[in-house]
């Protein structure tokens, strides 16, 4: 066996997100290889340990971005004024069809590197632009090359049907592809990049497709995620049928869910399903109030995601703060409607929101035994923020600093699985300029081809 490599992160303000450990005004984190061994004051550095000086640093678990369409990274800013109609017509029925596997690779690689740079150590790549196996492999290549921890959710494209073709709403997950990946490169649940499914769900797909997809997910033991963004459903009895078949459990993940009926929401929560809230896009695209308030009432778990790279920054500091303030606003208004008074104390705390952005996402994707908190025995997925930057000086509480003051520019050091990915504010990546130029060229070519050729071009 090789020699053990130790790292000691020394003397930082430590926010563990572990309820048993709590937080430390000053403490050390001892890492052995890829694992956190101990958190506490004045830990002894083993012989030959690398010491990282964390004075003037906040030490936290990396964010878990529980819902992102990383393949859109080269199309940033296109969707900033889009409605849902624009998005579905221009993106899914249009732009998506002009991507080559190389475009997907570049978007996923650069999108994942951006997440690392911004303090995210786990991303859940909800990948629904994979018309060919080559596109799928390119997406996984990009994630693996970035060195981030990721869950690759195998989805399906949503083009307009050609004459004689079935609409995508009637097409189940391709079994052969799911099997190829699950028995091949994504067979291990212990790898840095693992697998799940991104299915249509009962809002978009038919009941038969829903049940077939869920059975496939169960057979291959995969977390199975679906969007639910409006009240009208293609399969109104879908959740009830899934429950009757015993197909709703902790592998079942719903994104948005704003307009779920009370019955369906209760059904999901009672059977252990998880939820990803992406408040910013939901507010932009009129998905009604984010689900976070109803989930808090019912004790359902909450994860947070940034969603579409094409509309706004995939920045988990911003995502967490916006989700917190949106839910404070909505919950406070509901409480005030009952009592006539502004609520006191505050109905949602910073620490709760930070939990959504760390442990919440880890739980949703069955990674909570590995990541989401700085707990001994978990993987060393750790972020250091500069507490002495201009926008951070003088913050009295490190959790408040993370959620209410910090931004990606404050991220000093990022470690994934014990490996330092960013140090002294710089990503440790060779050839970044070349990759950036290729991504820009890719995005421009896709938009030019779309504008010249797509029947839906006027929606962009």
């Amino acid at each position: 066996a090789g020699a053990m490599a130790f790292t000691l992160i020394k003397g930082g303000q430590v926010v563990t997100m572990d309820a048993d450990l709590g937080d430390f005004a000053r403490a050390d984190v001892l890492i052995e290889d890829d694992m956190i061994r101990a958190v506490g004051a004045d830990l002894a550095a083993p012989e030959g340990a690398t010491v990282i000086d964390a004075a003037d640093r906040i030490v936290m678990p990396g964010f878990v971005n529980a819902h992102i369409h990383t393949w859109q990274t080269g199309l940033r800013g296109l969707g900033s004024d889009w409605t849902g109609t624009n998005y579905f017509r221009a993106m899914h029925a249009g732009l998506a069809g002009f991507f080559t596997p190389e475009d997907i690779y570049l978007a996923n690689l650069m999108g994942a590197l951006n997440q690392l740079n911004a303090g995210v150590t786990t991303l859940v790549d909800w990948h629904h632009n994979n018309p060919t196996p080559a596109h799928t492999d390119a997406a996984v290549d990009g994630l693996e090359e970035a060195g981030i921890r990721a869950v690759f959710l195998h989805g399906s494209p949503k083009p307009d049907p050609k004459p004689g073709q079935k609409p995508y709403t009637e097409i189940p997950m391709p079994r052969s592809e799911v099997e190829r990946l699950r028995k091949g490169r994504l067979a291990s649940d212990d790898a840095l990049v693992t697998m799940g499914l991104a299915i249509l769900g009962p809002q978009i797909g038919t009941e038969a497709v829903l049940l077939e997809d869920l059975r496939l997910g169960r057979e291959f033991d995969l977390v199975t995620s679906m969007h639910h963004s409006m009240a009208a459903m293609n399969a109104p009895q879908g959740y009830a049928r899934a429950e009757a078949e015993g197909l709703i459990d902790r592998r079942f993940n719903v994104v948005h869910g704003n307009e779920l009926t009370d019955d369906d929401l209760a059904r999901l929560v009672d059977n252990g399903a998880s939820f990803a809230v992406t408040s910013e896009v939901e507010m932009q695209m009129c998905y009604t109030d984010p689900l976070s308030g109803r989930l808090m009432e019912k004790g359902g778990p909450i994860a947070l995601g940034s969603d579409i790279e094409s509309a706004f920054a995939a920045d988990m500091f911003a995502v967490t703060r916006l989700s917190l303030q949106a839910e404070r606003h909505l919950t406070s208004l509901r409480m005030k409607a009952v009592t006539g008074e502004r609520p006191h104390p505050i109905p949602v705390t910073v620490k709760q929101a930070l939990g959504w952005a760390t442990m919440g996402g880890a739980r949703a994707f069955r990674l909570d035994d590995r990541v989401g908190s700085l707990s001994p025995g978990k993987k060393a997925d750790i972020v250091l923020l500069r507490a002495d930057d201009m926008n951070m000086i003088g913050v009295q509480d490190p959790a408040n600093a993370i959620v209410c003051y910090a931004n990606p520019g404050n991220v000093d050091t990022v470690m994934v699985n014990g490996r330092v990915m960013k140090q002294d504010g710089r990503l440790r990546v060779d050839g970044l300029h070349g990759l950036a130029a290729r991504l820009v060229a890719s995005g421009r070519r896709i938009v030019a081809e779309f504008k010249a050729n797509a029947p839906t071009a006027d929606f962009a």
Side-chain angles (χ1 to χ4, degrees), residues 39-335:
V39 182
D42 301 315
L43 300 177
E47 197 178 332
T50 303
V51 177
I52 296 175
D53 180 6
D56 298 318
R57 299 289 182 264
I58 293 167
V59 184
M60 63 177 284
F63 284 115
V64 179
N65 187 342
H67 188 77
I68 178 171
H69 301 302
T70 325
W71 62 270
Q72 297 172 17
T73 304
L75 303 178
R76 286 178 172 158
L78 276 190
S80 304
D81 277 336
W82 281 1
T83 63
T85 303
N86 294 103
Y87 178 71
F88 289 108
R89 301 310 298 144
M91 187 61 74
H92 287 297
L95 289 152
F98 295 94
F99 276 70
T100 65
E102 167 80 355
D103 296 320
I104 294 285
Y105 161 77
L106 287 167
N108 260 26
L109 174 56
M110 289 297 282
L113 289 174
N114 176 59
Q115 292 296 293
L116 287 170
N117 194 50
V120 171
T121 50
T122 300
L123 77 80
V124 179
D125 182 30
W126 217 100
H127 195 84
H128 51 1
N129 189 9
N130 43 348
T132 72
H135 287 75
T136 297
D137 286 334
V140 179
D141 288 344
L143 298 174
E144 288 183 344
E145 194 173 313
I148 198 166
R149 192 179 301 279
V151 183
F152 174 78
L153 300 181
H154 182 286
S156 48
K158 297 175 173 48
D160 288 339
K162 295 188 172 71
Q165 277 186 345
K166 272 187 184 178
Y168 69 82
T169 55
E170 295 174 20
I171 300 172
M173 277 277 123
R175 182 190 175 87
S176 59
E177 268 299 276
V178 172
E179 189 160 5
R180 174 180 79 87
L181 292 165
R182 189 59 168 152
K183 293 188 172 171
R185 66 188 301 189
L186 298 178
S188 170
D189 291 332
D190 295 321
L192 214 49
V193 178
T194 54
M195 184 177 176
L197 297 181
I199 69 169
L200 296 171
Q203 183 216 315
I204 299 168
T206 63
E207 194 171 283
V209 165
L210 170 72
L211 296 173
E212 187 172 334
D213 288 348
L214 289 172
R215 289 182 201 120
L216 188 68
R218 165 153 295 189
E219 179 183 342
F220 289 104
D221 189 27
L222 297 167
V223 174
T224 301
S225 181
M226 65 209 75
H227 290 116
H228 188 123
S229 57
M230 57 199 287
M233 293 169 67
N234 196 352
Q237 297 304 308
Y239 294 112
R241 286 291 308 277
E243 182 184 45
E245 282 207 28
L247 290 168
I248 303 177
D249 57 26
R250 77 167 295 192
R251 285 174 287 219
F252 197 103
N253 176 256
V254 175
V255 183
H256 311 311
N258 310 48
E259 295 198 60
L260 282 166
T261 65
D262 286 337
D263 282 352
D264 280 338
L265 181 57
R267 201 171 262 126
L268 292 166
V269 172
D270 291 349
N271 286 287
S274 68
F275 302 87
V277 170
T278 69
S279 304
E280 191 160 0
V281 84
E282 292 160 14
M283 292 164 82
Q284 176 174 333
M285 294 185 177
C286 192
Y287 285 7
T288 75
D289 295 349
L291 190 62
S292 34
R294 290 166 72 196
L295 286 171
M296 288 173 72
E297 279 173 13
K298 287 191 157 48
I302 301 171
L304 299 181
S306 61
D307 208 338
I308 59 172
E309 268 280 15
S310 48
F312 45 79
D315 165 2
M316 284 297 290
F317 294 98
V319 163
T320 307
R321 181 166 151 199
L322 182 102
S323 303
L324 168 64
Q325 301 292 33
E327 196 46 68
R328 281 174 167 175
H329 174 67
L330 294 166
T331 298
S332 294
L333 288 177
R334 284 192 290 269
M335 292 167 77

Side-chain angles (χ1 to χ4, degrees), residues 9-53:
I9 300 174
K10 193 152 188 60
Q13 301 178 64
V14 182
V15 177
T16 68
M17 300 313 293
D18 178 323
D20 297 330
L21 277 179
D23 296 344
F24 298 85
R26 194 177 161 281
D28 307 336
V29 181
L30 179 64
I31 298 148
E32 182 181 352
D33 294 334
D34 60 351
M35 191 174 284
I36 297 168
R37 281 284 170 224
V39 182
D42 301 315
L43 300 177
E47 197 178 332
T50 303
V51 177
I52 296 175
D53 180 6

